Structures are given as structure tokens and as C-alpha cells.
Amino acid sequence: MRSPHWSLIQYRRSESDSTHLGVLFEDAVHALPASWPENAAQLLDEWRQWEAKLRNLDVHSLQTLTETELIAPLTYPRKIVCAGANYSDHVQEMGGTVPSVPSEPFFFLKPPSTTIVGTGSDILFPEGEGVKLDFEAELGVVIADRCQGIDAAHAMEHVAGYVVANDVSARGLFHRGDPMAPAFAWDWFAHKAFDGSCPIGPGIVPAWLVGEPQNLRITLAVNGQTKQDSSTSNLIAGIPELIAAASRHMTLEPGDLILTGTPAGVGMPRGEFLAPGDVISVEIEGLGRLENRVSLRNRSLAQL
Ligand code: MG
């Protein structure tokens, strides 16, 4: 699968080190000059100022670093907006049918500060009975600026870049058998919002390096065995439509992350779920590979 030209990453040199913004290029971490922002959130807050510098960045001139640890390329975004039911083959495998006239995109939120982990970090197995942990390979869209009520024709102007994501889901905690009223039968909180349920990475690839974001192969493997293999060309609501729809409901802000939904192949329809020790690899053409192990070990939030 085609590798990224380069991507924006965050790294640290030791457990106690602070976050640094860098560039991943030819599988090596490169430092940005000291005049650049400390982290991705700061860069995105000043995106229009830094965009021109990024477009002219000579990655060959950057200093190569060794002994670094990648962390998530974006920590503490303000929002993670997730589209559900957005690939026709996934809707069918979950027992639904795709309407001939597209309906309004369906969204839910993940808490931004505690769900994001980077490549190489463990996904903690959530607490609870009958968790049924599942994976969802997704294309993530990083928003460049504050925008509200925008139309689809102009939506792509608000994209800073793209990232590989995994919308990890606890299927067994989703449906409650004893709701006090039908409206409370579906528990999105327990299903989608647990710590570590949003791995992203390895880096954010700037939008102008991606070409056609809706024509990228997207795959997911568990322990090396392919489970999902599709293309972002199969999205029901396209990236501009998702941005426009989300921005009708709420103001989007710099660094907000929109997950665009997952294709067919998740474990749920086969009754096949993740266990501690499983390694999940998600790859999107041109964006790189995100790899995480499911773990029972305890981690503090400081390690995210
Ligand atoms: Mg999803």
C-alpha cells in the first residue's frame, strides 16, 4: 500500500518528556525548528498562519531523531464527531438497508481527552460483563478552523488533514435489556466512549498531500488476518456532506476530528470479538498504518 509523503506527528524523548511536534518521513521522526508550535493543537489553532510554511516545508532538511516515542498525532482535540452507518456494506452486515434517497448523516461523540491513543499504545479492555470488544477502521478528518453552518460545496476548504483511526466499540454494552423507557435502550456512552476507544495515527497527513481522500483503500487486520478491505469511495455521505451536516448541529473548531464511518467486516455479524493480546492494524492508502494491542494492563491518563 502506498506510504505517506510525510505526516505531522507528536513525539517525546522519554516518559517524563513533554509533547513535541515533528514530522514522520521515511519511517523516521524528524524535528521541526524551535520556532514551530509545541504541539499539534497549537499548530491547528494557528493553521492559516502555518499552512503556507507547511506547504513549503523541505522535509529533507529536518534533523532526524532517534530514541523517540510516537504518541497520538493530536492530543486533546475539542471534539471527536463520529459518523455511524456510513458505508452501505456495513449497514447491510448490521442488518439494515440503505435508503435510495440518502438520509441525514448519523453522528455520535467520543470524549476527546480520554479516548485518543497513538499507534503502539495499548487499547485497555473496558470494564463490564460481556463487553464484546470490536474494531472499526475509519478515515479521520481534521478540521482546520472555526466554522458553522457551512455548505458542502465549501466544506473541503475547512480540512487541515487526514489520519487513520479505529472506532473501537463495546458491542455487548450497547443494548440495555432493562431500559426505563425505550429511548434509553441504546447506551452510546458505554458502547463508544470508554478510555482508549479512539486510536489515531501514526500522523496527520496534510490535505494537499492526499489527493483524492474519497478514493483510498482502507484495510484492517487482527493478528495479521485481514478483516476489513474496502475503499473510502464507498462512503454513503461523502466528506463534504459530513462536514456540512456536523456544522449544522454545532460549531466546528480547529483540530476537531470527524470519523467518517467504517466499511463491512467488523466482528459483530460473525460473533467474533477482540481478546487481550490481539493486535489490530489499520491501514489507509497514503496515510500510514495504525497498530494497537488490546491489553488488560492499567495505564494512567498521563500516558495517553
Ligand atoms: Mg464507527
Side-chain angles (χ1 to χ4, degrees):
M1 207 180 272
R2 190 164 57 85
S3 305
H5 305 273
W6 56 266
S7 61
L8 284 164
I9 46 103
Q10 294 191 127
Y11 68 92
R12 60 188 172 196
R13 297 188 187 91
S14 66
E15 283 279 309
S16 57
D17 194 16
S18 59
T19 300
H20 303 281
L21 185 68
V23 166
L24 188 67
F25 172 56
E26 291 180 346
D27 289 330
V29 172
H30 294 74
L32 284 165
S35 57
W36 283 67
E38 276 280 291
N39 57 54
Q42 284 176 25
L43 180 91
L44 286 156
D45 274 351
E46 302 167 351
W47 181 253
R48 297 303 170 203
Q49 176 190 331
W50 291 101
E51 185 184 359
K53 292 186 173 72
L54 280 170
R55 283 180 182 269
N56 293 321
L57 189 66
D58 176 11
V59 290
H60 297 274
S61 70
L62 300 175
Q63 182 196 353
T64 308
L65 300 174
T66 56
E67 309 282 316
T68 57
E69 182 196 358
L70 281 184
I71 56 174
L74 177 62
T75 33
Y76 310 109
R78 295 179 177 91
K79 288 189 285 297
I80 305 173
V81 180
C82 305
N86 203 31
Y87 281 78
S88 52
D89 51 0
H90 177 59
V91 171
Q92 284 155 5
E93 74 174 349
M94 299 300 268
T97 49
V98 181
S100 53
V101 179
S103 51
E104 181 74 2
F106 178 93
F107 293 113
F108 60 91
L109 291 165
K110 279 179 185 274
S113 59
T114 46
T115 58
I116 285 184
V117 294
T119 192
S121 289
D122 289 351
I123 298 166
L124 274 187
F125 204 91
E127 299 283 335
E129 287 291 311
V131 168
K132 297 182 178 175
L133 195 66
D134 205 353
F135 48 80
E136 295 191 354
E138 307 212 4
L139 171 68
V141 179
V142 181
I143 296 296
D145 50 19
R146 194 176 170 87
C147 54
Q148 189 265 329
I150 50 175
D151 56 49
H154 295 102
M156 298 303 266
E157 297 162 19
H158 301 277
V159 177
Y162 299 94
V163 66
V164 181
N166 186 356
D167 172 18
V168 187
S169 306
R171 310 286 188 204
L173 307 182
F174 190 22
H175 186 249
R176 295 173 68 134
D178 56 348
M180 285 189 282
F184 305 108
W186 299 99
D187 189 343
W188 288 92
F189 184 90
H191 178 208
K192 294 284 195 178
F194 52 91
D195 288 358
S197 62
C198 190
I200 60 169
I204 298 168
V205 180
W208 59 89
L209 295 179
V210 174
E212 294 181 79
Q214 282 194 219
N215 191 22
L216 306 175
R217 187 176 177 197
I218 177 168
T219 62
L220 182 145
V222 178
N223 302 327
Q225 195 176 14
T226 300
K227 302 292 183 183
Q228 294 182 282
D229 188 351
S230 187
S231 166
T232 57
S233 61
N234 295 323
L235 287 171
I236 296 172
I239 297 164
E241 289 74 26
L242 290 175
I243 295 170
S247 80
R248 278 197 293 276
H249 295 293
M250 61 183 74
T251 302
L252 298 178
E253 298 168 284
D256 280 358
L257 187 59
I258 298 181
L259 301 196
T260 53
T262 198
V266 301
M268 178 75 183
R270 299 185 302 277
E272 186 183 288
F273 300 107
L274 295 163
D278 284 345
V279 176
I280 313 161
S281 300
V282 191
E283 203 163 346
I284 299 180
E285 187 182 358
L287 303 188
R289 188 164 60 132
L290 168 68
E291 193 165 285
N292 302 89
R293 181 185 298 270
V294 179
S295 169
L296 284 175
R297 278 183 293 126
N298 252 332
R299 286 166 64 91
S300 70
L301 290 183
Q303 292 174 288
L304 290 174

